[in-house]
Amino acid sequence: ALARAERARGEARLDDVLRQIEQSTVRSPFAGRIVAGDLRQRVGESVPLGEPLFQVADTTAWQLEVEIPQRAAGDVGIGMTGEFATDARPEAPSSFSLERFAAMPEMRTGASVYVAKGSVVAPEPWLKPGMEGVARVELGIKPVWWIASHRVVDYLRMNFWL
């Protein structure tokens, strides 16, 4: 009877350890590439619930973040299309379409900008998460005089109340 009790106790401890191992396995909700996070520095440390351990980028559905200056935010909207070129390959622009537009501006790179999110129409195989570059959004046709003078006119209106 004593041996059976010891065996049951050992099996219970084994089940507990297996359950802890199962709970300690880290899984992403989608397949992708880890772009941030390093657990080697946190070995043996307990992590609070909800604290991110890794940042995983989905490599099947590419999203583009476009920083739009305040002066152009009124002209840009959801559904507009454009092209972007990465710093790594400026000779190979890709198309995108805007899907979301932030309601409030954010401070980025020392300027207040609106962040629009878009999806890449045909992602290239060489694209990597975190790449930066330049994007151009197609705003439509404007008269040449407006393109040449609107910044000066806007400056005069803002500073001299014209």
Side-chain angles (χ1 to χ4, degrees):
L2 187 59
R4 282 192 297 270
E6 282 293 321
R7 180 177 179 197
R9 182 175 166 223
E11 289 175 354
R13 290 178 77 193
L14 177 63
D15 290 341
D16 188 40
V17 169
L18 291 175
R19 184 182 52 80
Q20 287 177 356
I21 290 172
E22 178 64 30
Q23 288 178 344
S24 67
T25 303
V26 178
R27 288 193 175 90
S28 174
F30 54 86
R33 177 177 287 161
I34 296 174
V35 293
D38 186 10
L39 286 183
R40 288 179 286 185
Q41 299 169 354
R42 304 183 80 173
V43 173
E45 188 178 321
S46 65
V47 180
L49 184 64
E51 182 177 330
L53 299 173
F54 296 107
Q55 185 178 359
V56 180
D58 187 0
T59 56
T60 58
W62 288 93
Q63 281 230 322
L64 186 70
E65 279 191 0
V66 181
E67 296 177 1
I68 300 169
Q70 283 191 11
R71 63 175 154 61
D75 298 329
V76 178
I78 295 172
M80 291 186 159
T81 60
E83 285 188 333
F84 75 95
T86 62
D87 292 337
R89 287 212 174 157
E91 75 279 358
S94 298
S95 299
F96 70 92
S97 64
L98 295 178
E99 296 174 346
R100 286 182 277 156
F101 197 81
M104 298 292 293
E106 295 180 15
M107 284 300 292
R108 291 197 178 179
T109 61
S112 182
V113 294
Y114 286 86
V115 178
K117 298 199 182 214
S119 62
V120 180
V121 175
E124 298 290 336
W126 50 263
L127 278 174
K128 304 280 185 259
M131 283 186 156
E132 293 185 1
V134 177
R136 289 190 179 152
V137 178
E138 297 173 14
L139 299 177
I141 299 172
K142 301 279 186 192
V144 174
W145 63 267
W146 184 87
I147 294 169
S149 65
H150 82 278
R151 285 191 184 176
V152 174
V153 172
D154 290 345
Y155 176 81
L156 293 172
R157 284 183 181 158
M158 290 297 293
N159 291 303
F160 300 108
W161 293 87
L162 297 177

